[in-house]
Structures are given as structure tokens and as C-alpha cells.
Amino acid sequence: MKLNRYKKLFVTASIIASACPNLLAQTTDATAPVAITKEASPNKAGNLAPTPPMGWNTWNTFQTNIDEPLLKGMVDAYVSTGMRDAGYKYFVLDDGWMTMERDKNGDLVADPKKFPNGMKAFADYVHSKGLKFGIYNCAGSKTCAGYPGSRGHEYQDARLYASYGVDFLKYDWCNTDSLNAREAYITMSQALKASGREITFSLCEWGNHQPWLWAGGVGELYRTTGDITASFDKDKHNGTWTALSVMSIVDKQPAIAKYNGPNHWNDPDMLEVGNGMSFNEDKAHFSLWCMLAAPLAAGNDLRKMSPQTQSILTNKAAIAIDQDALGIAASRIYQADSLEVWAKPLANNEVAVCFLNRSTSVKQVTYNWNDHPVKNEANNIDIDFAKASYRLHDIWVNKDLGTTKKEFKQTLVGHSVIVVRLTKN
Ligand code: GLA
């Protein structure tokens, strides 16, 4: 089910917002008047996400059809399938967890039909399994599915989340009228900080207002695009808005790769692994997210995961690339005839390289490493394979593939990747 669709009023909204930068002040709950200037310093400084956050989110499979029994089963599956032990940490309820109205005190109410024991009890269950608990709301007057948004209630809602034991807030951008995005997200960021609980803040304004330029210090991750759909390269048009394929999202990332880093992650949206693409497509999708140092939010039904899906989501070598301490997003260093090469410098002079075949036909790769140095100016990285030899390890096949001294010759079937980790000889 996709819900009311809202999107694409944003160009207008952002024009109005930039014309009226003070609108934000009206959204702030009275408890903490804060003078916000364009130069407002990061207000949520901390170290909650030194590597890209990993978790699971209800939306991609269940939309608003969630309840406690379903989700308790999912928490159990999170643990029994090895997701937790592979590094996934957050269990996030997306839209649809509350009632359509606030209570008489203006508080949000967890829907008693869906959560008969209340949200604190569910959060306790999540915590009892060694996981962290995430929840969703929206900067606007209503969420994207029409539930009460946080506008004008930011501090009150943040306090409620803290009382539940929330560790992560995904904060959407529907029904925001003329709000200024940066200022609206700063308001919620400050409200979270004032709640006294450490809450990872996930901005979800779809990249409309270039959050990569201002969200560092406001939150730990920020969506860079509209919503993903489980398709390798075909966008899905839904009337007023378009859900993006994996390739469409990937193509938006090179231009903003340089803004990525510890505690401020470009978020190309949640994973669709296990939601309908082929095994190779899922592997390509997951590999590219790891190459991009993207947050990894699984969105499949963990209770019914196939062994293939599980083998992708829990692949330790892929996750290690995503979670590398440098936090550098890969650059696309080569593209021709539907073949692409992406390179991600890693800590300790290692490099991850992903060969991607975007076409549906089989492609032969012949790649001379010496012709393709890996550079990253911001991190002072300049790897010239003519000067140093690296060993290659194929992370999906778990096999050594020689060194960079030899030409790399491989066959890639349609919509597939080969990912190699390079270690200096
Ligand atoms: C927006 C977000 C999605 C999801 C839905 C919920 O579309 O981008 O990720 O949270 O809202 O309604």
C-alpha cells in the first residue's frame, strides 16, 4: 500500500522557505527558545554513528500494517537469523504506529489496537534482545500516512520518545507547507538533545534541500533521494510521485560522495534486498550500498528470509566495507558500455573495488589496474597501482584473485557485481 502522495510540491516549498527563513521559530515548542541563525553551530554533536547505522525498518514490507505480535516475531527473527550478530542494531517502527489524534494533553498515542501493551513495553522487548529501538514521525502537521506530525510539538514528542526508551528517530518531510527544512530539522535535533536521551537522528527530507550541505551536526544520517522501490533499473510512477530504482538512486550519489563521513551519512534509502529483485540484483544493490558507506536498513520480512537473502544481508566482508572506519563513499572511477567500476578507499591502505554490469547481457571485463589510480583528495589518498602491488580478494566468492600486477579479466552476467578487497602486498 502506498499512501497519499504529497510529493513534489517541494520546489515551491523551498522557494517559500528560503524567502521566509524565520518561519521556523513558530514551530519550536515554547520550552526552549533558541535563536537560530544561518551559522547555527552543530547542536547535536556526539559520536552516535561513527560508522553507518545498521538496522531494520518496517516500511518497505509492511507500510502501516504493523502490530506488536508481528513485530515481536520480527525482533525474534532479527536475532535468530544472525542479523544482530552481523552488526545490525536498530529496530525501527516507521509510519503508522500511532492513533490518528493526539490525546487531551497533546501527546502522541501508540495505537492501542496495534500496541495493546503500549510503546514502552514494546521498546523494552526490543532492548531485552540487545537491540536499539527506533521510531518515526514527521516535521509537518501530519506524517506521510496522515498520522499526527510533530510540527509545534517537537519538544513534547522528543520527551515522549525518551520516556519510551527510543534510541533513533526517523523524521520525515510530508505536509510541511512553507517550513524551512534546515531550521525544522534543527528544531527537532535540539528537542532530542533536550530530552536527555541519546537519540540518533535520521533526517528524511529526500534530498530536496541538499541536506549534505547542512545536516552534519543536526543529525547522523540524511536521506539523499526519494523513496526506493524493489527494482534494479525501472522507476515506478505512482501518479503524483515516482519511486526510484536502485540504479536511479546510485546515479545520484557520485556528486555528493564527498559530503559523506562519520556521524553525517548520505542515506540513499532503505534496502530492498529480499523484496523481489533477483539474487544478483540484490547482491549488486547491497554491494553498492556498502561501497557508498550507506546506512544499512534492511526492509524485508526477516521471518521468511530465504537463505540467499540471508547470505547477502549478513555477509561479513561486505558489511566490513560499509563499516570501514574512514567512512569514505566510493567514487565511480570508470564507466563504459554499461560497465562501471567503483572504488572506496579503506583504512590501513586497503581499497574496495566494485565492478558493476548494468546491462542484462553478459560482459567481459578486462581491466588494467595501472590505468586507474584511486584518489581521494579530502583524505589525502593517492593509490597508483603502477607503483605498488595489491592482492585481490573476491568478497562474495571468498576467493583470492591474484594481484593488481596482472590484468583483471572476469565475466559478469547481467545486473551483477564482482567486489574485490585490495590489500597491499
Ligand atoms: C516517506 C518516506 C518513507 C516512509 C514513508 C512513510 O515516503 O520517505 O521512507 O517513511 O514516508 O509514510
Side-chain angles (χ1 to χ4, degrees), residues 1-7 57-60 63-64 93-96 136-138 143-147 170-174 204-206 223 225-228 241 269-270:
M1 172 180 65
K2 272 283 180 183
L3 298 145
N4 67 3
R5 290 311 172 154
Y6 55 85
K7 300 196 171 174
N57 175 299
T58 50
W59 185 254
N60 284 355
Q63 290 86 50
T64 59
L93 304 190
D94 208 287
D95 209 348
Y136 163 100
N137 209 319
C138 184
T143 72
C144 298
Y147 295 86
K170 172 175 171 181
Y171 202 53
D172 217 335
W173 189 242
C174 278
C204 179
E205 61 73 79
W206 317 308
R223 280 275 293 279
T225 71
D227 288 9
I228 194 169
W241 69 286
D269 204 1
M270 302 175 288

Side-chain angles (χ1 to χ4, degrees), residues 222-268:
Y222 43 87
R223 280 275 293 279
T224 57
T225 71
D227 288 9
I228 194 169
T229 189
S231 163
F232 188 74
D233 57 5
K234 306 266 179 303
D235 293 350
K236 195 169 150 207
H237 304 289
N238 297 308
T240 54
W241 69 286
T242 299
L244 302 173
S245 67
V246 168
M247 287 299 114
S248 289
I249 289 183
V250 160
D251 286 337
K252 294 181 194 297
Q253 306 309 313
I256 56 172
K258 66 177 179 199
Y259 299 107
N260 203 58
N263 292 306
H264 54 95
W265 303 103
N266 292 344
D267 176 3

Side-chain angles (χ1 to χ4, degrees), residues 6-7 10 17 21 23-25 27-28 34 36 40-44 135-144 150-152 154-155 158 169-176 178-194 199-212 214-225 227 267:
Y6 55 85
K7 300 196 171 174
F10 305 121
L23 279 173
L24 161 84
T27 73
T28 311
V34 184
I36 292 166
S41 60
N43 45 71
K44 196 177 175 298
I135 212 161
Y136 163 100
N137 209 319
C138 184
S141 53
K142 285 187 190 313
T143 72
C144 298
S150 281
R151 186 173 181 179
E154 292 85 352
Y155 283 76
L169 175 67
K170 172 175 171 181
Y171 202 53
D172 217 335
W173 189 242
C174 278
N175 306 302
T176 42
S178 53
L179 279 184
N180 174 299
R182 178 173 175 270
E183 295 182 349
Y185 281 96
I186 288 176
T187 302
M188 195 65 208
S189 176
Q190 291 174 329
L192 292 176
K193 193 164 186 191
I199 300 179
T200 301
F201 191 31
S202 165
L203 287 68
C204 179
E205 61 73 79
W206 317 308
N208 289 357
H209 304 87
Q210 302 179 291
W212 42 89
W214 50 262
V218 177
E220 282 73 24
L221 58 161
Y222 43 87
R223 280 275 293 279
T224 57
T225 71
D227 288 9
D267 176 3

Side-chain angles (χ1 to χ4, degrees), residues 102-108 153 156:
R102 291 174 179 269
D103 70 11
K104 60 178 184 339
N105 301 318
D107 279 329
L108 296 168
H153 294 270
Q156 180 175 12

